[in-house]
Amino acid sequence: MSKQTETKLDLSKVRNIGIIAHIDAGKTTTTERVLYYTGMVHRIGEVHDGAATTDYMVQERERGITITSAAVTAAWKGHQINVIDTPGHVDFTAEVQRSLRVLDGGVVVFDGVAGVEPQSETVWRQADEYRVPRLCFVNKMDRVGANFARCVQMITDRVNGNPVPIQTPYGEGDQFKGIIDLLKMELVIYGDDLGQDIQHHPIPESHREQAETMRAEMVEKIVENDEYLTEKYLMEEAISDDELLGALRAATIAGKLQPVLCGSSLKNKGVQLMLDKVVELLPSPLDIPAVTGMHPKTEEPLERKAEDSEPLAALVFKIITDPYVGRLAFVRVYSGVLRSGTTVMNTTKGARERIGRIVRMFADRREDITEIHAGDIAAILALKETFTGETLAAPDHPIVLETIKFPEPVIEVAIEPNSKGDQEKMGEALRRLAEEDPTFKVEVDDSQTKLRGMGELHLEVLVDRLMREFGVQATVGRPRVAYRETITRSARVDTIFKRQSGGSGQYARVVAEFEPMSDEDIRASKDGFAFVDEIRGGAIPKEFIRPTENGMREAMQGGVLAGYPLVGVRARLVDGASHEVDSSEMAFKIAGSMCLKEGVQKAHPVLLEPTMKVEVVVPDEFTGSVVGDLSSRRGLVSGMEPRGLGATTISAAVPLAEMFGYATNLRNITQGRGTFTMEFDKYTVLRTASPTRLSNQAASRGTRHHRIVRRLSSDAISKG
């Protein structure tokens, strides 16, 4: 395909949006309609047929779910819309997180029957964290049991949103025939099955009173956020539709309101109206504050405006491995212009990168371009040093943008290649998969390779890709829970490491105080460990402080109870001593490692296990059986809520270790009529640790710390 020179974008007409929601709410179906109505595809592909444009992976089409976020560029009414279709399954929540980091707005899709579901809450919180303005699209209004008013109320109750309906359905369930626009006060009806014949009619008398009441409530909510309109409203002066739309847009961009739309993507109703509101209400790159970062050396705060004339600042938010063209890096340019053939600086690593091919993405299809302007999203081929969350900047104007934080894996499986040839292929394949997915970790311990991920489905998909895409034949063990260890009390430790081996010896003394960290501090830290240097008077020379910290961090990888990684430990280095001849970086690294291990033993360590937030939807007659089963799994039921149509939603917190095989068990209990979703909630103290259950997992881990110390000691002696 020939390269195209990008004309300078009118940034006011660019929208970078994500379609986000719970699994099966209709995100991909909605995205497919967006592509169809914007002319990007000429035939609507359905998820259930395995033909959706943005679900291009084999694993996505087989399972009928979105696994990886796909970027597409479309045009609507003179605006360029960069759309990212994100996964809804909790195992792939990192895909949503990294997409929201670089998006300016979002469309949150809700199931008209189910309303706000667990993953809807998660993505809403993530959007809050990144301050992403959003619209709400209540989908599936044609399904029996759909209830628009209930969905709107759930947005208020469950995610603490401030929804303002600007549409209401004309009928619900099998009576759903169209959409009442509360801004224009008209009825929109579709005259054909493809949703192309849009007809505008006056609101029928049967629905006029309800529409006028809802419009009055809408106007009141909008004017509350605009002083000028509030004054006009109180003076009972007329407020024009343009004034209302302008105030609604300002309140939406500020995150004060979330406009609510409705429709049925599968039946091709409401998507064009949703696209209209995307360009009318969601922000352009010019509407969001200038991006902030810091100078990589001086750590001086810096900011970059969304202008081509500013120095380059761009964030790589996703890596994918393409079997035909190699590694693709998705990038959002915040300022300046990223041009093919130029050299830029990876300021996160301090490495230079040459920009080769630049492509604009249409799911798995690409179009070569020569440059990416401020505010735009595209992809770069063949970057050698740059990975997810890293910054590309102009070499003479370096800046490091805020990176993307990802949750830690909670489940692991052991994998063993079937032959020596598979062993070699597997190493390269795992490296490439880990580059793509920051929540996928590979650990090699005692000649055993362990894959760690966010859930059973996550690991299942990765293993499937390993075998299909990379041709690796391997045997995979059963999933195992990723336990953690932590401390519950404070402790002070004075550790001396001393070795004499003929020549110069090894000497280091480290005095440290250890204390538990709060949940907030753990979340704020990168790895659940905080090191504080409180040395006064040079008791430990400065050059030995960092090795001491490194030794402690390395010892955090294996706890004292069962060898699981430690979290939630704050270490204060308060005193120590060195020898002018025998002290070395290695000696202090070993002393730091020994000190942490001894401190953890004194600070009453406990095991932690991942606890999941579980939501089960069951027919009313099975409620008692399901609650009893959850309790037998050490679950704490936090609430039950009527779902309508004779169903109940049960919410509970259950240890992950008890949830293996739950899908089959639930089907047996409810005669196949129950469904459930779960997502990671937090780590909690394991109070009923079963030695039998833990022994197999701990066996390969229990001596890890001793191996670390032995290796460090032998290194020190050989260097001494």
Side-chain angles (χ1 to χ4, degrees), residues 21 52 77 118 133 225 236 294 303 380 390 394 439 587 607:
K77 295 188 175 178
N225 295 281
E236 297 185 359
M294 65 178 186
E303 68 174 36
I380 310 170
E390 296 178 352
T439 59
L607 277 172

Side-chain angles (χ1 to χ4, degrees), residues 259-475:
V260 185
L261 316 169
C262 63
S264 170
S265 296
L266 187 65
K267 297 297 175 65
N268 307 308
K269 291 179 172 65
V271 177
Q272 297 101 317
L273 299 182
M274 184 263 285
L275 279 169
D276 288 343
K277 294 300 174 274
V278 164
V279 300
E280 289 173 5
L281 299 176
L282 288 180
S284 74
L286 296 174
D287 295 313
I288 61 171
V291 69
T292 57
M294 65 178 186
H295 194 282
K297 292 182 179 176
T298 64
E299 298 189 0
E300 169 196 358
L302 300 170
E303 68 174 36
R304 296 278 191 271
K305 296 177 183 175
E307 296 175 3
D308 287 356
S309 57
E310 288 267 299
L312 174 68
L315 185 75
V316 174
F317 65 95
K318 180 178 171 65
I319 299 287
I320 64 170
T321 301
D322 188 291
Y324 303 107
V325 298
R327 199 149 59 84
L328 270 169
F330 285 75
V331 61
R332 160 75 189 260
V333 176
Y334 284 95
S335 65
V337 181
L338 186 63
R339 292 185 174 89
S340 178
T342 59
T343 298
V344 300
M345 177 71 75
N346 176 331
T347 51
T348 308
K349 289 179 175 171
R352 287 182 176 265
E353 286 275 21
R354 182 166 176 78
I355 304 300
R357 283 177 64 193
I358 301 176
V359 293
R360 189 170 295 291
M361 298 300 296
F362 301 95
D364 60 340
R365 194 163 54 82
R366 293 167 294 276
E367 176 185 274
D368 283 277
I369 57 176
T370 57
E371 56 193 28
I372 319 172
H373 293 265
D376 206 357
I377 291 173
I380 310 170
L381 275 76
L383 290 181
K384 294 179 180 176
E385 301 286 339
T386 305
F387 298 98
T388 300
E390 296 178 352
T391 303
L392 297 176
D396 52 345
H397 290 88
I399 184 175
V400 179
L401 303 177
E402 181 188 354
T403 189
I404 311 169
K405 291 182 180 177
F406 296 103
E408 282 295 308
V410 296
I411 193 170
E412 67 179 35
V413 295
I415 186 168
E416 188 175 321
N418 292 350
S419 68
K420 189 173 181 180
D422 287 318
Q423 173 87 43
E424 293 169 0
K425 284 195 291 186
M426 188 174 81
E428 174 64 16
L430 291 177
R431 181 185 67 78
R432 289 165 69 178
L433 289 173
E435 286 176 359
E436 284 188 33
D437 188 348
T439 59
F440 172 53
K441 307 290 185 186
V442 181
E443 182 181 303
V444 180
D445 188 19
D446 285 343
S447 301
Q448 186 181 45
T449 302
K450 294 171 187 168
L451 312 182
R452 299 173 57 207
M454 300 305 297
E456 288 181 90
L457 180 60
H458 185 204
L459 291 178
E460 180 188 321
V461 167
L462 286 165
V463 169
D464 190 49
R465 289 188 62 195
L466 192 69
M467 295 179 177
R468 288 198 199 188
E469 289 179 28
F470 300 98
V472 176
Q473 296 302 311
T475 304

